[in-house]
Amino acid sequence: MPNKIARCGYALSLTGGLLLSPVALANLPPVIDPIADQVVSAGGTVEVVVVPRDPERVVPGLTVSNMPDGATFLDNRNGTRTFKWIPSSNDIGSRLITFEAIDASDPNLRSSVSVTVTVNSTGQASQSNGNQAPRVEPLSDRSVQVGEAVSFRVTPVDPEGVVPALFVDSLPAGASFDDNRDGTRQFRWQPNAQQVGDFTINFVAYDENEPSLRSGETVKLSVTSPNAVVIPSNPINPVGSAVEGAPFFVGLQDQFVTLGDTLSLRVVAKDDDGSVPGLAVDPLPERASFKDNGDGTRTFSWQPYPIDVGDTYVQFSTIDANNSSIRTNQSIRINVVRDPNRVVNFPPVINGIRNPTIRAGDTLTQRVQPVDPDFTVPNLSALSIPQGSEFVDNGDGTRNLNWLTDFGDLGDTQASFRAVDAVDSSLSFESTITVSVVDPSTFNRNGERLRDLADRRGFKIGYAAVLQASKVADSQLYRDIAAEEFNIVTPENSHKMGWIQPQRGLFKWEDADEVANYAEQNGMDLHGHPLVWYAQLPGWVQLLDPSNAQQVMREHIRALVSRYRGRVAVWDVVNESFEEDGSYRNSIWFKGMGKDYVRDAFITADQEDPNAVMIYNDYDVAWINPKSDAMYRMVQEEIAAGTPIDGVGFQMHLRDDFSDYDSVERNFERFANLGMDIYITEFDVAMFNGQNDGLQAEIYRRVMEICLRQPRCKALQSWGYTDRYSWRSNFQPLMFTDKYLPKSAYYEWQRVLRDF
Ligand code: XIL
């Protein structure tokens, strides 16, 4: 606004002067010579000489507005000034910089020139010698049918005119990347029927004299089978939605990082009303951090491992300071490439051991697994272990600290372990845990057990059992509390196809059997999960030709449902078929069979066990929205077609800002009116607003009340029960703490089950 007024003022004095004041006519405003917009890589230099001219030849004043931090605007002592700036990767994005010339004798006479400076990330930091990173000319994504050939030229360019070197990361089997002897290379490939699916291929140009100067271009190649239905895949939320009044990100862009380097990305968000919006990231990649810089920004840091080569998507959210329901999400792609000329050896680590708490009298079974990101097996030893315990070799690179405790062991005792890199013994990792042995009465809970209260109402109260519950360090305590509180259990992972059928026709039943036996021994129902899903698939299914999808799906369903016939009470037959907008997700099953796979799956499952309750399960469908509308239409159609579908599972992975209760109630009602049973299958409430146990408990209470008010709502099952083993453990979404103490949510459920 102020700019506009200044420009008006100038126009008025010019024309007004013409008519009214011959003296003013003599003085004309200065002008600035045109300046081109600038594009620079982070680490590069922008240098612009600003030349003002005044018709009266008096040297005008010069100012700059929106000057970036660290930039200079020095007087050249000849009437001009030089704007100079070396942006860093924190400055990625575009900004408008305005230079203004002010008449020496009349400050109302002024004119300005605005320049857009764009800082991009693709060029890696150039050195102070000004050498800039080469880049690869843009390439478009493409799709190719099995048997067809694809061929394209990859052209690297270097701002300095030297021919950069080129390499390709993740070249598909059978493809070639030949030198055209003109500085370019040719990518050629004829995919075979085993290669149906999406391939991400990174072409990287780098400076041979300075290999750290590099940038990449990624091409997505979709290989389709000749008879498949091709649906363009939905990018994960491409750009933040531009909602009026919502906070927005400044310069947040896709990133590129070379294996061995650490990505450090400053995340900046603004709000037009001047308030400082909140920032969040979900999911946070393993080992990444998102630290508060104390100035309203945060820094996302991540050192990728060899396993991360390729693309990782991360979604950032910025949340309005005054209304947490107003937010903007933006997903970025982080492209990790390997430099073939660089040897990177990562040290080993010992992951996944947290201080265990057990009851005196229990046996601690702490598995210690060292891992090396380079896929070598480290040497593991114990530095100190509690008296009376042993550290046994499991024969698979892991060891177990086994300790049968008694009341004499009450208190905290430490155990320390060391893993040494298999290749470079100077690289090692040490880890110490504190084992707390406590009096069993610590875990006593007031009031009645949830399962007793639920049994009395003919209701099911459930949890998802952690994978290999018999092998976790505190397995006795974990399983005892679960058996006391719940009358239905879902295996959190052991039924998933990637786990249970790692190779075609080869079934690994052990862990699923364990849960089935546990459920029987403790008089619990078993809830199978899931038969058909797009995620957690074994590699061989990810490479499957979609024309085989139907056969593979049916084999899988038959194998699982027949094995547990009469033992599984409820099956999640199909999980997560829909996208957020209500379209079908382009899974391998959808590629092979179109939407008919849903019906086919229910018919196949029902044939194997007509007595089990067969349900469709999905997330973000508990309230009314395009996705639950699509699910509703699907259920209507299946009922009309006579498909044996008995109910709907609503996952309900919530956050503590949830408030759409009315919508949930109406939504349940419309599905109930179709004759569907309702299961709340994966309930948890992530605490985003600090440690507000009360806010969380309120959501637990209200959802339980909605379920109990709805006669068709058969079960409320939480996705785990102790924060210790929650898939969202950072947000403590469950009703027991990580030390197995009941939280407010527990007592709310107890009270509602008793009194409501
Ligand atoms: C999650 C498990 O909790 C994790 O342990 C696993 O790593 C990933 O899957 N929807 C589902 C569940 O249907 O199977 C998912 O479970 C959570 C989302």
Side-chain angles (χ1 to χ4, degrees):
M1 235 26 197
N3 271 342
K4 211 168 167 185
I5 291 164
R7 245 178 269 133
C8 275
Y10 146 60
L12 278 178
S13 55
L14 188 62
T15 47
L18 269 171
L19 293 171
L20 302 173
S21 161
V23 180
L25 182 64
N27 191 0
L28 291 169
V31 288
I32 296 178
D33 280 4
I35 305 172
D37 287 342
Q38 306 284 311
V39 179
V40 62
S41 300
T45 307
V46 198
E47 199 165 329
V48 175
V49 181
V50 183
V51 184
R53 295 175 198 274
D54 186 287
E56 289 83 33
R57 299 185 169 274
V58 258
V59 179
L62 266 182
T63 64
V64 56
S65 57
N66 199 19
M67 178 115 137
D69 280 356
T72 55
F73 192 52
L74 298 179
D75 195 333
N76 298 322
R77 311 212 157 262
N78 59 4
T80 70
R81 280 176 177 257
T82 298
F83 169 83
K84 189 170 169 185
W85 183 37
I86 304 180
S88 75
S89 58
N90 293 337
D91 299 307
I92 287 164
S94 290
R95 66 187 71 209
L96 197 67
I97 296 171
T98 302
F99 302 103
E100 193 164 38
I102 304 157
D103 191 281
S105 46
D106 181 354
N108 290 320
L109 298 183
R110 44 179 78 198
S111 72
S112 63
V113 161
S114 289
V115 179
T116 304
V117 180
T118 304
V119 181
N120 55 41
S121 63
T122 47
Q124 292 301 284
S126 74
Q127 313 294 310
S128 48
N129 62 16
N131 190 1
Q132 308 238 330
R135 59 181 177 82
V136 177
E137 276 195 356
L139 294 163
S140 47
D141 293 345
R142 50 201 89 206
S143 98
V144 56
Q145 271 192 10
V146 167
E148 276 184 346
V150 57
S151 168
F152 53 86
R153 182 185 290 265
V154 181
T155 309
V157 281
D158 188 286
E160 280 84 35
V162 266
V163 180
L166 253 189
F167 74 91
V168 58
D169 196 62
S170 48
L171 192 68
S176 62
F177 192 51
D178 301 322
D179 198 336
N180 291 326
R181 308 204 161 270
D182 59 3
T184 70
R185 282 178 175 261
Q186 199 74 18
F187 173 86
R188 291 190 187 85
W189 187 29
Q190 195 170 4
N192 64 37
Q194 303 313 307
Q195 293 176 310
V196 171
D198 287 345
F199 290 77
T200 302
I201 304 164
N202 307 310
F203 299 99
V204 179
Y206 65 98
D207 190 321
E208 274 181 317
N209 301 320
E210 254 179 273
S212 64
L213 294 182
R214 57 179 53 222
S215 71
E217 173 72 17
T218 299
V219 173
K220 201 171 114 199
L221 266 176
S222 306
V223 180
T224 57
S225 76
N227 43 16
V229 205
V230 185
I231 302 255
S233 65
N234 266 335
I236 309 174
N237 183 17
V239 201
S241 40
V243 178
E244 188 70 34
F248 53 93
F249 289 105
V250 181
L252 185 60
Q253 286 194 353
D254 288 353
Q255 299 290 312
F256 174 85
V257 54
T258 305
L259 201 60
D261 289 344
T262 298
L263 173 69
S264 175
L265 174 66
R266 189 152 160 268
V267 180
V268 183
K270 295 217 164 105
D271 196 310
D272 282 331
D273 66 13
S275 61
V276 181
L279 288 170
V281 59
D282 192 24
L284 189 65
E286 247 179 273
R287 307 173 312 279
S289 64
F290 194 49
K291 295 231 170 74
D292 197 331
N293 297 323
D295 60 357
T297 71
R298 283 178 175 256
T299 297
F300 172 85
S301 307
W302 185 42
Q303 184 182 37
Y305 278 174
I307 200 164
D308 302 311
V309 168
D311 288 336
T312 293
Y313 288 84
V314 176
Q315 178 174 287
F316 294 97
S317 306
T318 172
I319 303 140
D320 193 284
N322 306 313
N323 179 350
S324 64
S325 68
I326 303 178
R327 57 182 69 216
T328 301
N329 298 329
Q330 188 179 333
S331 283
I332 63 161
R333 186 184 74 173
I334 303 175
N335 180 216
V336 181
V337 295
R338 185 193 295 274
D339 177 352
N341 300 317
R342 180 162 160 191
V343 181
V344 191
N345 186 4
F346 290 94
V349 282
I350 298 173
N351 277 331
I353 49 177
R354 281 159 293 164
N355 300 338
T357 302
I358 59 168
R359 296 170 295 198
D362 281 353
T363 298
L364 174 77
T365 50
Q366 177 67 64
R367 187 161 173 266
V368 183
Q369 176 168 34
V371 288
D372 191 303
D374 306 305
F375 305 115
T376 50
V377 180
N379 299 311
L380 177 65
S381 58
L383 300 175
S384 73
I385 56 175
Q387 233 183 2
S389 67
E390 42 178 25
F391 197 47
V392 292
D393 197 334
N394 296 324
D396 58 0
T398 72
R399 282 169 173 255
N400 249 52
L401 176 67
N402 293 335
W403 185 24
L404 169 57
T405 63
D406 58 36
F407 277 82
D409 299 314
L410 282 179
D412 290 349
T413 310
Q414 293 197 330
S416 300
F417 315 101
R418 175 189 283 151
V420 179
D421 191 283
V423 177
D424 177 354
S425 62
S426 72
L427 299 178
S428 67
F429 184 94
E430 287 177 15
S431 163
T432 297
I433 54 169
T434 302
V435 184
S436 306
V437 180
V438 302
D439 191 298
S441 66
T442 312
F443 304 105
N444 289 349
R445 295 166 306 282
N446 294 330
E448 276 181 280
R449 304 286 66 79
L450 302 181
R451 74 176 285 173
D452 297 334
L453 296 162
D455 280 344
R456 220 171 288 151
R457 324 177 59 117
F459 188 70
K460 292 294 169 194
I461 183 88
Y463 78 109
V466 68
L467 186 64
Q468 301 184 320
S470 69
K471 297 192 181 122
V472 296
D474 50 5
S475 63
Q476 285 172 304
L477 179 58
Y478 177 85
R479 288 186 296 174
D480 283 354
I481 293 183
E484 283 160 21
E485 297 292 352
F486 304 103
N487 57 14
I488 185 168
V489 55
T490 309
E492 187 175 356
N493 285 297
S494 63
H495 283 168
K496 290 176 180 170
M497 196 173 190
W499 190 262
I500 206 163
Q501 198 186 169
Q503 287 167 39
R504 187 160 183 180
L506 182 98
F507 289 88
K508 219 174 66 175
W509 299 117
E510 194 186 335
D511 299 311
D513 283 353
E514 176 189 305
V515 187
N517 294 335
Y518 171 80
E520 256 153 32
Q521 283 154 14
N522 294 288
M524 294 171 166
D525 277 1
L526 181 58
H527 183 144
H529 164 86
L531 292 171
V532 183
W533 192 24
Y534 78 94
Q536 290 185 267
L537 292 171
W540 66 272
V541 174
Q542 293 173 37
L543 297 173
L544 198 67
D545 185 322
S547 64
N548 295 324
Q550 185 176 52
Q551 183 61 27
V552 165
M553 181 187 86
R554 289 178 175 179
E555 280 169 15
H556 184 75
I557 294 174
R558 287 182 186 136
L560 269 75
V561 180
S562 67
R563 183 175 182 92
Y564 298 109
R565 184 182 299 128
R567 301 178 77 191
V568 164
V570 185
W571 271 112
D572 291 341
V573 178
V574 177
N575 195 31
E576 303 182 355
S577 289
F578 294 107
E579 299 278 4
E580 195 181 336
D581 65 0
S583 60
Y584 277 89
R585 200 185 283 277
N586 193 21
S587 63
I588 176 72
W589 318 115
F590 185 78
K591 282 183 185 144
M593 295 169 262
K595 72 185 182 82
D596 289 349
Y597 84 87
V598 176
R599 181 173 306 173
D600 200 312
F602 275 95
I603 292 172
T604 311
D606 183 69
Q607 280 166 353
E608 291 300 326
D609 189 353
N611 295 326
V613 174
M614 301 296 180
I615 70 175
Y616 172 84
N617 191 51
D618 213 326
Y619 65 91
D620 288 355
V621 288
W623 49 97
I624 295 174
N625 59 33
K627 191 171 172 179
S628 64
D629 287 347
M631 181 171 87
Y632 182 75
R633 284 192 299 273
M634 181 275 285
V635 171
Q636 267 181 325
E637 272 175 39
E638 295 313 324
I639 292 171
T643 306
I645 177 171
D646 301 311
V648 178
F650 300 86
Q651 294 185 7
M652 300 198 82
H653 295 292
L654 304 181
R655 300 167 47 131
D656 56 4
D657 53 6
F658 182 78
S659 62
D660 281 343
Y661 303 107
D662 291 346
S663 186
V664 171
E665 195 139 11
R666 280 184 286 127
N667 193 39
F668 282 5
E669 204 169 292
R670 65 173 172 164
F671 283 95
N673 289 339
L674 292 178
M676 289 293 102
D677 279 345
I678 289 164
Y679 286 79
I680 298 174
T681 48
E682 303 181 17
F683 188 76
D684 57 13
V685 181
M687 296 204 283
F688 276 80
N689 292 313
Q691 304 305 299
N692 200 338
D693 174 68
L695 203 56
Q696 178 182 53
E698 157 90 357
I699 298 171
Y700 268 72
R701 172 179 71 80
R702 296 201 57 174
V703 171
M704 177 63 92
E705 288 173 358
I706 290 172
C707 188
L708 295 182
R709 258 201 300 276
Q710 170 52 256
R712 284 225 167 244
C713 191
K714 302 293 176 196
L716 181 38
Q717 302 166 269
S718 62
W719 201 240
Y721 77 93
T722 157
D723 290 332
R724 182 173 172 90
Y725 295 120
S726 165
W727 74 311
R728 302 161 94 190
S729 60
N730 289 343
F731 301 107
Q732 293 133 300
L734 297 173
M735 64 185 137
F736 283 78
T737 67
D738 59 349
K739 292 196 158 54
Y740 294 91
L741 300 178
K743 293 157 65 175
S744 307
Y746 172 82
Y747 288 111
E748 285 299 309
W749 272 12
Q750 188 186 61
R751 194 167 59 76
V752 179
L753 280 171
R754 190 188 60 216
D755 298 340
F756 191 70

